[in-house]
Amino acid sequence: MQTRPPVTDWATDFDHFDPQWTANPYPIWADLRQRCPVATSQRFEDGGYLPTRYDDVREIAYDAEHFSSRRVIVREHKLPLGASTAPPITSDPPEHTAARKVLLPAFAPKEIARLEDKTRAVCRSLLDAMGDRAEVDGAVDYAQHIPVRVIAHMLGVPEEDGDLFRSWIQRVLVDGVRNPQIVPPTVAEMTAYFDQRIDERSAQPGEDLVSFLLAARVDGAPLSREHVLGSLRLILIAGIDTTWSGIGASLWHLATHPQDRARLVAAPGLMQTAIEEFLRAYSPVTMAREVVKERDVGGCPFKPGGQILLSFPAANRDPAVFEAPDEFRIDREVNPHAAFGLGRHRCIGSNLARMEMTIAIQEWLARFPDFTETPGRTTTWSEGTVRGPRRMPITILRRA
Amino acid sequence: MTEARQLRVAIAADRCQGHNRCCLVAPELFEADDEGNARVRGDGSVPAGLEAKAKRAVANCPEHAVRLTGA
């Protein structure tokens, strides 16, 4: 790993790849929220901005006129526009509206409910594969596989392709932020993969998402091949490490908080508020916007070209909106969290993510009602734009 | 003597983004349409006993799209 100059002042030199941020970003945001509340950084081309208050994040998310989605990852060096379009996440109105509308039905709650049995079977087979080991890795042996297998199922491709999917994500979202030259060949690889799938499904349509996109019509016309490819890249990239991080962080919380663990096992009816609280307290996903027209938000001028790290995780720890935000309350009743974003770009996979998290935790607890983070071993967290455990040594204390 | 006014929920369709929180908190009062956006069941009247759930649906909507009237 290359070394980066350490951050000297988080308010003027923030870096979401700094080891301090990766280890524990919450105190950094709490400090910035009080004294800035918008941090800046020259580490990112044309300047980076980091709003930390819920209201400021909302303002930016709602304002596509000044803050474009055409670049959704903050990078040291911007990629040329069009290098990795993935409609609708990289679209602004008016194109965004139709591109999103076409995808929505495939991710509506009743469609996602049809995937519950498959998800449960995936979780059980992963738990079966752990055998009677006393020590497992909650991320490597469990969380990371669940969304990959569910997405593979949705796309109608072999589960074994999951390793390929994870390597693409690592290169686009993590390695590529610092080494932009690896992004275009990765995108080309994904395009080649999905090009083949499109040819297959054009010849023989199935019940999968590729066929769904090929059959979709906007104003009577099919989507262009480029659009279908972009949306498939989006579904793949956005649907995997995000949910894997959500499942992993939830398990990590339970592994390190025996009272919450016992409470959830004793009262499964708490699952709904627990899942929303996992989503709030450990929101995995940070997005980005590019300033296209100057505007002040939170008393800070945002200059055209600047890249905004749109931290929904920071918004979700804002005491102006959430009582005792740094406390995890398994039965939190008022929790309008922004883990899935705010405004027109609300995560289209939110119902899928929530379903996968719920079933993953239910099945884990049904098999392992008591477990703990392995003493003396540390959990490691991903870097950058999606936050979740990547290695999480867990000792099983009791089996059902 | 005044009768308590009828509580009613409504969804501001221009604000709803399909977070689905109201449908999860109060499935008796809300449902998702084919695109995943929320709509009220029936005419939105809140039956006795569901007042607290209606208020929770309002409080948990991140887009401020759920309205409660008659309170």
Side-chain angles (χ1 to χ4, degrees):
Chain A
M1 198 154 63
Q2 66 196 106
T3 52
R4 302 170 71 76
V7 170
T8 47
D9 178 2
W10 283 97
T12 56
D13 183 37
F14 77 82
D15 181 9
H16 57 300
F17 283 85
D18 190 272
Q20 192 191 337
W21 176 298
T22 303
N24 185 11
Y26 308 111
I28 299 171
W29 301 336
D31 169 55
L32 291 173
R33 207 178 285 118
Q34 282 185 342
R35 67 186 173 110
C36 283
V38 179
T40 58
S41 179
Q42 294 311 308
R43 292 174 188 249
F44 308 98
E45 187 175 341
D46 298 329
Y49 298 94
L50 168 65
T52 53
R53 293 194 307 206
Y54 189 102
D55 285 351
D56 296 341
V57 168
R58 168 195 297 279
E59 283 279 313
I60 291 165
Y62 277 17
D63 181 358
E65 186 193 340
H66 296 85
F67 308 114
S68 168
S69 286
R70 63 191 193 182
R71 289 188 171 95
V72 286
I73 300 174
V74 169
R75 297 182 184 278
E76 290 182 4
H77 304 282
K78 291 181 182 174
L79 295 177
L81 283 176
S84 62
T85 54
I89 203 171
T90 53
S91 318
D92 293 314
E95 292 78 16
H96 172 264
T97 311
R100 179 175 173 90
K101 201 173 168 58
V102 92
L103 276 181
L104 280 170
F107 293 90
K110 69 176 177 198
E111 283 301 308
I112 297 307
R114 285 155 30 102
L115 297 165
E116 285 177 12
D117 290 347
K118 171 70 190 174
T119 306
R120 217 171 276 287
V122 165
C123 293
R124 288 180 182 172
S125 81
L126 292 165
L127 293 163
D128 289 344
M130 293 176 197
D132 54 6
R133 285 156 57 200
E135 269 193 46
V136 299
D137 190 306
V140 174
D141 298 329
Y142 193 63
Q144 72 167 358
H145 299 289
I146 297 165
V148 174
R149 293 193 188 174
V150 173
I151 291 271
H153 173 78
M154 293 174 81
L155 292 169
V157 301
E159 280 186 357
E160 299 79 66
D161 291 355
D163 290 341
L164 195 58
F165 299 169
R166 281 196 300 271
S167 85
W168 290 337
I169 289 164
Q170 174 71 22
R171 283 182 271 160
V172 170
L173 292 184
V174 184
D175 305 342
V177 170
R178 288 165 288 184
N179 303 307
Q181 66 276 12
I182 71 168
V183 176
T186 308
V187 171
E189 233 181 89
M190 296 174 70
T191 303
Y193 177 90
F194 282 124
D195 249 331
Q196 268 193 334
R197 304 287 89 77
I198 290 174
D199 288 342
E200 290 165 12
R201 299 306 143 67
S202 302
Q204 200 176 356
E207 292 279 291
D208 54 273
L209 274 175
V210 181
S211 306
F212 171 85
L213 284 168
L214 291 172
R217 296 290 180 271
V218 172
D219 297 331
L223 304 174
S224 70
R225 193 172 182 103
E226 198 39 56
H227 188 129
V228 173
L229 283 167
S231 289
L232 288 170
R233 287 196 300 260
L234 165 62
I235 289 165
L236 191 83
I237 292 226
I240 293 183
D241 68 333
T242 50
T243 308
W244 145 27
S245 297
I247 295 168
S250 308
L251 275 182
W252 177 82
H253 178 85
L254 294 173
T256 52
H257 295 78
Q259 286 183 329
D260 285 335
R261 194 164 68 231
R263 245 184 115 180
L264 196 52
V265 169
L270 284 173
M271 188 61 81
Q272 194 186 108
T273 50
I275 293 289
E276 301 306 329
E277 184 68 342
F278 291 135
L279 283 164
R280 183 195 69 82
Y282 304 106
S283 310
V285 183
T286 295
M287 287 298 302
R289 294 290 187 272
E290 183 174 16
V291 187
V292 288
K293 217 191 265 188
E294 182 160 345
R295 202 201 135 174
D296 281 22
V297 175
C300 169
F302 287 73
K303 304 282 186 192
Q307 304 184 68
I308 306 173
L309 195 61
L310 197 61
S311 179
F312 298 112
N316 284 339
R317 296 276 187 141
D318 185 346
V321 178
F322 303 96
E323 196 181 298
D326 292 326
E327 254 174 56
F328 182 95
R329 294 183 176 172
I330 201 164
D331 55 357
R332 189 180 286 272
E333 288 243 322
V334 178
N335 187 1
H337 67 75
F340 294 118
L342 291 167
R344 62 173 61 79
H345 285 280
R346 185 269 306 170
C347 170
I348 203 162
S350 62
N351 300 304
L352 176 61
R354 188 180 276 123
M355 181 277 285
E356 289 184 41
M357 284 175 66
T358 304
I359 288 179
I361 300 302
Q362 281 174 345
E363 291 299 319
W364 177 283
L365 291 177
R367 191 74 58 104
F368 305 132
D370 205 8
F371 56 100
T372 187
E373 190 177 37
T374 303
R377 307 265 314 275
T378 36
T379 295
T380 57
W381 296 79
S382 57
E383 294 182 290
T385 213
V386 177
R387 178 177 172 78
R390 289 297 174 265
R391 293 193 176 277
M392 181 169 43
I394 284 181
T395 301
I396 308 300
L397 300 175
R398 186 161 61 86
R399 284 161 202 278
Chain B
M1 225 182 106
T2 53
E3 194 78 352
R5 285 174 63 202
Q6 173 63 52
L7 276 187
R8 237 175 247 281
V9 284
I11 300 286
D14 58 331
R15 302 188 71 99
C16 176
Q17 298 290 354
H19 290 258
N20 205 38
R21 298 292 303 281
C22 56
C23 305
L24 291 168
V25 164
E28 303 89 341
L29 301 174
F30 305 94
E31 62 186 351
D33 67 15
D34 288 345
E35 293 186 351
N37 291 318
R39 60 183 177 211
V40 298
R41 290 188 188 271
D43 66 357
S45 303
V46 179
L50 290 178
E51 297 86 353
K53 278 197 175 186
K55 283 178 189 159
R56 273 183 66 200
V58 172
N60 281 287
C61 177
E63 310 286 354
H64 304 170
V66 185
R67 303 282 157 78
L68 185 64
T69 56

